Amino acid sequence: MKSCPMNATGISDRRSLSVTTMASLVSQLLLLLCATPRYSSFAPVILFDGSSFFSSRRHRVDRHRCYDDDDVGRGTRSFLPSPSFAATTVVEGGSFESKSSSDDDNDARREFSYAAMLKAVDESHYDEAERSCPYLDSELLYDATAQPRGTGDETMRGGSPRAAGYGSPYSFPAAPVLSDDAVRGLRWAARSYFMERAADGGGGDVNHVGSIDRVSLGDLLVMDGGGGGTTDPKWKESLDVAMMHIVYPSVRSGWPNHDAFSLPKYPTPDDRHDASRGHPVLTVTSASVFAAGGVPGAKAAMTTFERDPGLFVVHIDLGNDDDNRIEDDADNSSVMGALYMESLVDGECEMNSKLPIVGPLLPGQMVVHQSMQRTAAITVPSNVHDLKGGGRSTVDCSSRTHILKAAERTRHYALRLILTTMNCNGIDVIDGVRKVNTPPAEERSYRLRNYARFCRGEDRVRYLTLAGLLDLDDYENHLWLGFDYIARIDNPDYRCDLHQRLSDVNRAVFHLEKSAALCPTDSRIHFQLATAIGAKVDCEERLMLEGSDDQYHVTRSNITRDLTRMAQALERSAELESAAVKLGVNGIEDLAICLNALASTRCKLGEFDKALAALDRWAECGSIRSILASEDASVDMRKTPSYDWIQATDKKDGQKRNVAVKTVGDVPVFEPEDIALLRAAADKRFALAAGTQTSRYTMQYEGNSEVHLDDLCAGDPVLKSRMDRVLQEKVYPLVRSAFAEAKGADDDEPPLGPLCVYDSIFVRYNGDKAKAAGRRGASQPLHQDGGIYSVNIALNNAREEGNEHGFSGGGTFFEALTVGDGENIQLPSAPGHAIIHKTTQRHAGAPTTSGVRDILVIFLTARRAVISDNNENTWRIERAMRLQSIGKELDRDKLILSLRLARENDPTNSEVPYWHGVHLIQGDMNEESDDRWTEITQGVESLKLSTLLNPADARAHYHLGMAISARHKYAMRTKRAHLLPPAKEAGESVIDALETAIRLERKCTEAGCENGINISAAYLALGDFMARLKSYDRAITYLNQVEGIIGETGDMDKRWAQSMLEEVLSLTEYCKREAANKMEPSLVR
């Protein structure tokens, strides 16, 4: 228990609580939760920690506000507010069940009461303030009005207290609050603890790339052995002095009007006569040392970017392992700590002006801020304010590069203290009833929000609403209320009509707009607001389809207005998130999701120029996604592997096309030691995963296992160093040389900017496991990749090469190779060798039928060129791919426009004209206008273009044949037969297209990489078209193939097959009759 400060009379009068009493308080709270009446007429929504909302939206609010065992054990403001929750379990239906013996004797349900709920909250706050961090004394009351001593000038920034309703000034004393000896002693103690824990297998390895290690101050005090500062109490003595004479006075003088320092509010007016109760005093509820960085690929952030518990946060920099003496030869800078504060981001999110950080900080220097501000401790170079930020246009800027390099250079440490207030006489027992002082509204609100996460439906809304009433200026109350309504309508089990859904959406929009007004610099709020508005647009579009009623009159202008608001919210979220990304505080995942949504919204508005700008920013995120090294022209290249081109020779015209590069010779991409290191790291990760998903990709099948190379390198700096060397010395030079040499008439050459890794995955195909699951083998379907180039590196031998532990089958199936008679499945020449191709080259993973096949696939993109003389569009390939994907969400008119724009950006990608042609043909065939006829003819031409760009695409040939047939039917019905090509030419076109589709699809099927084309439908279409051209004998020949094809696929009993066979029978009888009645030769021979 903490030592009790003296009250105004100098008498220690604190009433302590037993652990049993604390447990009973928690049990009382749980019973209150269980007893809450269910007023909701709908099914309970999912819990926040299991919400399906996050399966589609990674840009999220912090739903896992939990801390480690050290914090829970000390009562830190975690999801579970006291240790007694360890005896509590969640039961089915979202209620709570206490397992303590006292609850076994109490079966009665208690009436729900806000007063009782608040009483439990208040007692929980007092218990935590009383028992947490007992090794740090609370504030001495007689020093409560003293000014900070020994800190020099103190800077207060950020506006007036609770400025804009969300943040207050921060305190930034100029002089360090801890001595150099204390800083070194505390840092050494933490470092020794982390090394000891790593040696014991408990994690916290100082060589863990990008990791954030954390230890409570209490554990450092009780740690056995270690030497140096481990057992030296001087750092503790220095900290005690700083707390009493600097930290506590700084907080009190910095926020003198904070309601935490006001006279206590008692539960009832009858308690006001008790004058012995003193003023609230500051106390520590959590004290932790953080450490991060010091190895290649380390992250800049030392703490997670989030809001902290409590009322105030004290951040004290502890320097780094090298006492900040490391200097960068390039800029002569040392590594220092800083504090990123979201509320300091200016209105335009410009990074060329003042950075939104406090620092750089000297070792021992302190920053104090209110807990409600979102912050993150980061490492920065000492000259960070002199670096160019790059403005709003780019996140790949000089400041980010230098900050990440600083994080790699040394391991940095910081002490973080969480402060709250309490009253020494906080709980009295009067007439057998416990009475407690009212904590600050901010504390009560925070706890109610956390308790609400255990509730479902209307219960959760009531607790969040109560939290909002207690603290009107806390933006997170509105954020969570808005998010709760979004999660409710996103829950598939939520059953309601469209009007109720729209009502919930409007509530979400209201609360999120209120939250954004209170805190305009929180990127999460603006993204969630955009999400809510997007849900509103969906409801409005459904209302328009169903017909607006008296309650909701929806027009297209309403939807356009809401889409504009949605775009504005996404733009603001992206700007704020970019500010955090530029300083290395956040990764690019959430920003990329936001920019993709922004591009989609701009397309829905028809603002395609703005959509392209958003897509460029999205593609730029991909260029800095990986921690692996990018291309550096200054690196001395060793001998790069030799290579040959894999070419496809078209049987029709003999034309040769480059498909992929295959490395050959004695110089592999990976040496045997590289392979051994990589496979060992993957084996370890797969073992730890124990069958759970280890990849961000969605094409997951039984027998396939994947892990991202970045994840492997993040735990293994030796592996990262080797991978960086291979990329710099072999992969980048090889790709640039091979594809520059193969530059063709389309002027498609490697980008001017440095090549870099977009993503990389270790793939393990287990053929035995796949076959046991009923599959032909472990494989991937036909697809295109992301980025610009794909590098496929073999990591083990095939079984037929004499290795009984190898694999059978497998390889990369290239669709382009099916036009000739050669082998269409390619394997690298040996382990360590590679096959490299453009990402737009359609390919598949051929089935590995037995054994295990390991490969590493590296997807390359490029960073923006520093100087570009020809205004190069670095990410035109990514633009086209995203426009094609986004088009699926658009109405038909804008879909067509987006595909045309995609074609302009990448005229070499056959997928774009393929989908353009398909969607043009799929319009209303009953419309007889000239515009519709133009669409059909353009659809045919677009599909022809697709077959020219990729003669091996069975789908394009299939749909081309169907489109020509559909054009013929439409022209005959609408009296446009004179616009058709000659019958013989048309017939030959259909025959060539559909027979080519059938031939190519059979090759794909033989390789186990089929497109899914219905070959029987192709034969039926051929028969139908020949019958229309009065070539009855040929029509019958095609129709006779249908039944056999259906039998081969085993679909004879399916309804569509039976319907098709009936149509075939009818058409065959018609052809036989007409052939018998007509003896003239057919128009097509």
Side-chain angles (χ1 to χ4, degrees):
M1 184 182 299
K2 297 179 182 179
S3 62
C4 181
M6 299 297 180
N7 61 19
T9 62
I11 302 174
S12 177
D13 191 31
R14 170 176 294 178
R15 275 77 166 176
S16 62
L17 298 177
S18 67
V19 175
T20 304
T21 306
M22 249 172 52
S24 66
L25 282 173
V26 175
S27 299
Q28 177 185 2
L29 173 61
L30 295 177
L31 287 172
L32 288 170
L33 291 169
C34 293
T36 304
R38 305 285 179 181
Y39 299 127
S40 174
S41 60
F42 48 82
V45 301
I46 43 185
L47 284 170
F48 273 53
D49 57 358
S51 174
S52 63
F53 177 76
F54 294 100
S55 63
S56 59
R57 301 179 179 91
R58 276 197 61 198
H59 194 101
R60 71 272 183 205
V61 291
D62 301 320
R63 59 190 177 116
H64 294 302
R65 289 288 285 121
C66 298
Y67 295 88
D68 59 21
D69 294 338
D70 294 333
D71 288 316
V72 175
R74 288 172 175 77
T76 301
R77 197 104 49 285
S78 65
F79 197 88
L80 306 179
S82 76
S84 58
F85 268 101
T88 304
T89 58
V90 180
V91 297
E92 186 175 0
S95 298
F96 297 87
E97 180 180 24
S98 175
K99 299 301 183 182
S100 63
S101 58
S102 61
D103 292 329
D104 292 337
D105 300 330
N106 187 354
D107 296 329
R109 290 290 193 185
R110 303 187 183 185
E111 181 180 359
F112 176 79
S113 166
Y114 278 145
M117 181 69 184
L118 290 176
K119 179 175 181 290
V121 168
D122 296 346
E123 292 178 351
S124 173
H125 165 262
Y126 176 80
D127 290 344
E128 181 179 310
E130 161 74 10
R131 297 183 177 278
S132 299
C133 301
Y135 42 84
L136 292 177
D137 287 342
S138 300
E139 180 187 28
L140 292 179
L141 190 59
Y142 54 75
D143 274 351
T145 59
Q147 296 299 314
R149 296 194 285 112
T151 63
D153 294 334
E154 181 172 299
T155 303
M156 302 296 295
R157 303 176 185 173
S160 60
R162 299 184 74 85
Y166 68 93
S168 56
Y170 63 87
S171 176
F172 181 29
V177 299
L178 294 180
S179 67
D180 290 344
D181 289 340
V183 168
R184 282 193 291 270
L186 185 51
R187 188 173 66 238
W188 182 261
R191 187 175 187 273
S192 299
Y193 177 89
F194 295 141
M195 294 182 68
E196 181 178 313
R197 188 170 64 176
D200 293 340
D205 187 351
V206 295
N207 290 323
H208 189 178
V209 177
S211 69
I212 298 176
D213 284 329
R214 177 182 184 180
V215 58
S216 72
L217 209 59
D219 285 343
L220 294 184
L221 287 170
V222 301
M223 183 176 62
D224 294 330
T230 304
T231 58
D232 189 352
K234 291 182 179 180
W235 63 262
K236 172 62 167 54
E237 295 174 4
S238 179
L239 180 60
D240 288 340
V241 171
M243 293 298 296
M244 290 300 174
H245 297 290
I246 302 176
V247 176
Y248 289 143
S250 293
V251 174
R252 190 173 286 273
S253 63
W255 291 271
N257 298 322
H258 196 289
D259 65 352
F261 302 130
S262 61
L263 290 174
K265 299 176 182 178
Y266 304 109
T268 66
D270 295 337
D271 294 321
R272 296 186 183 276
H273 69 277
D274 190 351
S276 64
R277 298 179 185 268
H279 288 265
V281 295
L282 290 164
T283 189
V284 180
T285 59
S286 174
S288 301
V289 175
F290 293 84
V295 286
K299 305 299 184 182
M302 299 171 57
T303 60
T304 54
F305 179 38
E306 62 185 5
R307 172 178 176 167
D308 288 291
L311 299 177
F312 302 98
V313 177
V314 178
H315 173 89
I316 302 176
D317 191 81
L318 297 179
N320 52 62
D321 287 336
D322 300 276
D323 286 331
N324 297 75
R325 287 194 295 267
I326 289 185
E327 292 187 352
D328 190 315
D329 293 336
D331 56 22
N332 198 33
S333 66
S334 59
V335 180
M336 303 182 73
L339 191 68
Y340 177 86
M341 299 188 72
E342 187 177 57
S343 61
L344 297 182
V345 180
D346 64 34
E348 296 298 324
C349 301
E350 288 287 356
M351 298 296 290
N352 284 325
S353 57
K354 185 175 66 176
L355 297 177
I357 64 173
V358 183
L361 302 173
L362 296 170
Q365 201 168 10
M366 174 183 76
V367 181
V368 183
H369 63 85
Q370 281 193 275
S371 296
M372 67 191 316
Q373 296 207 43
R374 291 214 305 161
T375 63
I378 61 174
T379 52
V380 296
S382 56
N383 63 345
V384 63
H385 290 289
D386 299 327
L387 301 175
K388 293 182 179 180
R392 298 172 63 185
S393 61
T394 175
V395 292
D396 186 12
C397 55
S398 174
S399 62
R400 182 179 184 275
T401 301
H402 284 80
I403 287 172
L404 292 178
K405 286 178 64 177
E408 292 180 339
R409 281 157 54 190
T410 185
R411 194 157 185 81
H412 208 84
Y413 297 78
L415 173 63
R416 205 167 179 86
L417 307 173
I418 307 298
L419 274 59
T420 188
T421 59
M422 69 173 182
N423 190 274
C424 285
N425 311 103
I427 295 183
D428 282 333
V429 179
I430 301 176
D431 297 330
V433 179
R434 288 162 49 96
K435 297 197 175 183
V436 61
N437 276 316
T438 302
E442 189 177 331
E443 283 278 13
R444 302 174 99 190
S445 177
Y446 185 95
R447 290 170 181 274
L448 281 169
R449 282 199 305 274
N450 279 346
Y451 296 156
R453 302 184 192 194
F454 286 112
C455 307
R456 294 179 181 272
E458 292 301 316
D459 293 344
R460 182 159 58 195
V461 173
R462 280 199 296 274
Y463 296 149
L464 290 173
T465 302
L466 177 58
L469 292 173
L470 290 171
D471 192 354
L472 297 177
D473 292 332
D474 194 330
Y475 68 92
E476 287 223 2
N477 293 321
H478 292 285
L479 169 62
W480 281 102
L481 276 167
F483 174 75
D484 184 71
Y485 281 113
I486 296 174
R488 177 182 303 181
I489 63 174
D490 208 54
N491 179 15
D493 294 330
Y494 180 38
R495 299 286 182 259
C496 68
D497 59 24
L498 190 55
H499 289 151
Q500 178 61 48
R501 185 175 295 271
L502 186 57
S503 176
D504 289 338
V505 169
N506 284 329
R507 290 189 178 97
V509 172
F510 167 80
H511 285 292
L512 290 166
E513 286 180 336
K514 178 67 174 176
S515 184
L518 290 169
C519 181
T521 58
D522 191 329
S523 60
R524 304 170 305 164
I525 298 173
H526 296 282
F527 184 86
Q528 297 298 336
L529 174 58
T531 301
I533 296 174
K536 181 181 180 183
V537 169
D538 291 340
C539 291
E540 289 174 338
E541 289 178 337
R542 288 177 57 186
L543 280 174
M544 285 191 66
L545 289 175
E546 297 177 5
S548 300
D549 53 23
D550 295 337
Q551 186 176 0
Y552 294 102
H553 181 65
V554 180
T555 63
R556 179 54 59 182
S557 62
N558 296 139
I559 295 176
T560 300
R561 183 177 64 251
D562 286 336
L563 284 173
T564 301
R565 292 169 59 204
M566 182 178 175
Q568 291 170 347
L570 288 169
E571 191 71 60
R572 180 60 176 166
S573 179
E575 290 172 352
L576 292 166
E577 191 68 24
S578 295
V581 171
K582 289 176 184 179
L583 290 175
V585 176
N586 282 349
I588 57 89
E589 290 79 10
D590 286 346
L591 176 58
I593 290 172
C594 183
L595 289 171
N596 184 68
L598 175 60
S600 176
T601 305
R602 292 298 187 191
C603 287
K604 291 177 181 178
L605 287 166
E607 300 173 348
F608 289 101
D609 288 342
K610 293 181 178 179
L612 289 179
L615 286 177
D616 282 349
R617 293 161 66 190
W618 170 85
E620 184 182 46
C621 288
S623 72
I624 61 173
R625 177 199 302 268
S626 176
I627 64 174
L628 297 169
S630 58
E631 185 181 20
D632 186 350
S634 66
V635 173
D636 293 332
M637 294 180 295
R638 298 182 181 180
K639 185 178 179 181
T640 57
S642 302
Y643 62 87
D644 291 331
W645 274 97
I646 300 171
Q647 294 183 318
T649 303
D650 197 328
K651 291 173 63 176
K652 291 183 178 180
D653 55 16
Q655 183 180 358
K656 292 185 176 181
R657 297 171 181 264
N658 289 332
V659 177
V661 167
K662 176 185 283 191
T663 62
V664 295
D666 298 331
V667 181
V669 176
F670 276 4
E671 299 296 338
E673 54 267 28
D674 298 324
I675 296 175
L677 188 65
L678 179 58
R679 296 187 77 189
D683 288 339
K684 183 178 179 181
R685 180 58 61 93
F686 288 139
L688 290 174
T692 59
Q693 181 60 271
T694 54
S695 171
R696 292 184 291 270
Y697 291 122
T698 57
M699 291 189 293
Q700 301 297 314
Y701 305 97
E702 191 69 28
N704 296 8
S705 301
E706 298 176 356
V707 61
H708 293 264
L709 181 59
D710 270 53
D711 296 337
L712 296 179
C713 290
D716 191 339
V718 174
L719 176 63
K720 182 184 183 301
S721 178
R722 282 182 176 269
M723 295 300 103
D724 286 345
R725 187 197 63 197
V726 169
L727 288 167
Q728 295 282 16
E729 297 178 358
K730 295 183 179 180
V731 174
Y732 294 144
L734 174 62
V735 170
R736 191 168 289 280
S737 173
F739 288 92
E741 173 190 305
K743 175 181 173 182
D746 57 6
D747 200 31
D748 187 17
E749 58 182 336
L752 297 177
L755 296 172
C756 58
V757 175
Y758 168 78
D759 204 351
S760 181
I761 54 174
F762 179 104
V763 184
R764 172 161 292 171
Y765 293 111
N766 189 321
D768 299 324
K769 191 174 181 180
K771 294 192 77 171
R775 298 178 58 207
R776 179 172 173 176
S779 62
Q780 293 281 7
L782 275 165
H783 63 279
Q784 291 182 327
D785 293 326
I788 303 175
Y789 303 106
S790 297
V791 182
N792 184 322
I793 305 171
L795 301 179
N796 64 330
N797 276 309
R799 185 169 291 169
E800 53 264 33
E801 296 177 10
N803 182 1
E804 62 180 8
H805 301 295
F807 60 90
S808 299
T812 302
F813 171 82
F814 286 103
E815 182 182 62
L817 297 178
T818 58
V819 297
D821 294 328
E823 181 59 53
N824 49 43
I825 296 177
Q826 297 288 325
L827 284 164
S829 54
H833 280 272
I835 292 177
I836 308 171
H837 57 88
K838 292 181 181 178
T839 55
T840 53
Q841 188 73 251
R842 274 173 44 93
H843 61 286
T848 298
T849 54
S850 65
V852 172
R853 175 178 176 240
D854 287 345
I855 61 172
L856 179 70
V857 185
I858 306 173
F859 308 112
L860 301 181
T861 183
R863 300 174 80 164
R864 193 191 301 271
V866 178
I867 299 176
S868 179
D869 295 331
N870 60 353
N871 294 319
E872 178 194 52
N873 182 357
T874 305
W875 300 299
R876 59 181 183 79
I877 293 176
E878 285 94 330
R879 273 185 173 187
M881 286 187 175
R882 291 314 302 169
L883 284 169
Q884 177 185 312
S885 178
I886 288 172
K888 300 173 184 179
E889 307 170 9
L890 307 178
D891 60 58
R892 187 172 180 275
D893 291 340
K894 292 187 175 66
L895 164 62
I896 299 300
L897 291 174
S898 71
L899 290 173
R900 287 175 181 168
L901 186 59
R903 167 71 180 151
E904 293 174 8
N905 277 272
D906 187 5
T908 66
N909 189 345
S910 65
E911 284 283 285
V912 177
Y914 165 70
W915 286 110
H916 186 224
V918 168
H919 288 294
L920 284 171
I921 296 296
Q922 286 179 343
D924 185 2
M925 299 303 287
N926 292 320
E927 182 185 346
E928 299 184 0
S929 66
D930 290 340
D931 289 342
R932 179 61 187 135
W933 170 250
T934 300
E935 281 187 346
I936 294 173
T937 56
Q938 288 179 348
V940 171
E941 295 304 314
S942 188
L943 288 165
K944 284 182 180 179
L945 175 61
S946 180
T947 62
L948 290 174
L949 291 172
N950 182 9
D953 190 343
R955 304 166 308 156
H957 288 285
Y958 175 82
H959 284 283
L960 174 59
M962 293 297 191
I964 295 173
S965 178
R967 182 184 63 180
H968 182 87
K969 295 179 184 178
Y970 185 88
M972 298 298 291
R973 184 170 56 80
T974 60
K975 300 179 180 180
R976 290 185 174 90
H978 61 286
L979 299 177
L980 291 172
K984 181 177 180 180
E985 179 184 335
E988 289 175 347
S989 297
V990 171
I991 292 170
D992 179 70
L994 291 177
E995 287 192 344
T996 300
I998 293 170
R999 183 181 71 254
L1000 293 173
E1001 182 66 6
R1002 287 188 183 278
K1003 286 191 175 183
C1004 293
T1005 302
E1006 289 171 3
C1009 307
E1010 61 276 0
N1011 286 283
I1013 290 175
N1014 192 328
I1015 296 179
S1016 56
Y1019 278 118
L1020 174 58
L1022 281 167
D1024 177 76
F1025 194 76
M1026 291 299 101
R1028 291 177 183 277
L1029 295 180
K1030 300 181 180 180
S1031 181
Y1032 301 115
D1033 292 339
R1034 194 154 193 176
I1036 292 172
T1037 300
Y1038 286 126
L1039 294 172
N1040 287 339
Q1041 301 291 321
V1042 175
E1043 185 173 1
I1045 297 298
I1046 294 177
E1048 289 177 9
T1049 58
D1051 295 327
M1052 192 66 73
D1053 295 333
K1054 295 184 178 179
R1055 183 175 299 178
W1056 67 263
Q1058 293 297 318
S1059 177
M1060 180 179 289
L1061 290 174
E1062 291 176 3
E1063 185 176 355
V1064 167
L1065 178 61
S1066 176
L1067 187 55
T1068 301
E1069 291 176 352
Y1070 167 78
C1071 291
K1072 288 180 178 179
R1073 288 196 304 269
E1074 293 299 314
N1077 296 333
K1078 206 165 188 180
M1079 303 300 297
E1080 63 269 24
S1082 70
L1083 294 173
V1084 180
R1085 298 186 182 278

